[in-house]
Amino acid sequence: VLRGIRGEADCALERPVAEGLRALYGVETLFLPADPATAFVSSSMAREVMAFGRPPDGLVPGEILQEVAQAFAHQGYQSGRG
């Protein structure tokens, strides 16, 4: 299993999962550290931005921006809350 981690908080959450996978199934987990320039980005942040009707430019790769926006819209979120 390959897991991306942004910092110490992610590591603290992911390590017990990795240990469980190893103990239960013999599956190893590799951690890939995030680029420091984007380590602050989270899916929660992108959803929050879109919930306020703004495009998540800079939070979502341009190559998948349209697909993310469509998936967000299909989940029934309303833009422009407030």
Side-chain angles (χ1 to χ4, degrees):
V1 177
L2 180 63
R3 301 289 296 182
I5 55 173
R6 295 169 289 177
E8 291 181 31
D10 282 355
C11 189
L13 291 171
E14 293 292 344
R15 185 174 177 175
V17 174
E19 291 170 352
L21 287 173
R22 180 187 298 143
L24 293 172
Y25 305 108
V27 174
E28 293 297 328
T29 302
L30 299 174
F31 296 111
L32 181 66
D35 180 337
T38 59
F40 69 94
V41 175
S42 69
S43 60
S44 298
M45 182 184 293
R47 284 192 299 270
E48 186 75 13
V49 167
M50 290 186 291
F52 283 97
R54 306 286 300 183
D57 297 341
L59 301 176
V60 175
E63 298 83 7
I64 63 166
L65 186 57
Q66 185 174 4
E67 289 84 356
V68 169
Q70 288 173 348
F72 185 82
H74 288 305
Q75 291 178 3
Y77 290 99
Q78 299 288 323
S79 63
R81 352 179 263 205

